[in-house]
Amino acid sequence: MADVTNELILEHLKSIQDKLGKLDRGQRDIQSELRSHKSMLGTIISDDALQDGRIAEIYDRLERIEARLELRDQ
C-alpha cells in the first residue's frame, strides 16, 4: 500500500476544493440563466394576455358593428 502523507492528503483536499468551487460557479451561472428565462417567460405571458384582451375588444366591436348594420345571421 502506498505511503499516505499529509502532503498527499492536502493535495487531494485542494483538488476536491477546486472542483467544488467550479461546481458552485457553474450552479450560480445556471441559476442566473434560469432567472433570466423566468423573466422572459413572464414577459411573454404578459404580452400574450394583453394580446388576448385586444382581440376580445376587436370581437366586441365587430359584433356591435354587425348588429348595427344588421349583418348577423339569424
Side-chain angles (χ1 to χ4, degrees):
M1 186 168 185
D3 289 335
V4 178
T5 62
N6 286 340
E7 291 82 22
L8 183 60
I9 293 172
L10 184 59
E11 193 176 311
H12 283 290
L13 288 175
K14 284 181 181 181
S15 173
I16 292 170
Q17 189 175 25
D18 288 342
K19 289 177 184 179
L20 286 175
K22 289 176 184 177
L23 286 172
D24 188 48
R25 283 189 295 277
Q27 184 180 10
R28 277 189 253 129
D29 290 345
I30 290 170
Q31 287 173 336
S32 176
E33 285 186 38
L34 183 58
R35 273 188 229 106
S36 175
H37 288 158
K38 284 181 178 181
S39 176
M40 285 189 280
L41 182 59
T43 301
I44 290 169
I45 290 171
S46 176
D47 289 347
D48 188 49
L50 183 61
Q51 186 177 14
D52 286 348
R54 289 178 178 165
I55 290 171
E57 289 174 9
I58 290 170
Y59 278 121
D60 288 343
R61 292 176 68 189
L62 180 60
E63 285 182 12
R64 285 196 309 269
I65 291 169
E66 287 176 342
R68 193 174 277 179
L69 296 176
E70 297 177 359
L71 297 175
R72 283 196 179 154
D73 294 330
Q74 299 299 335

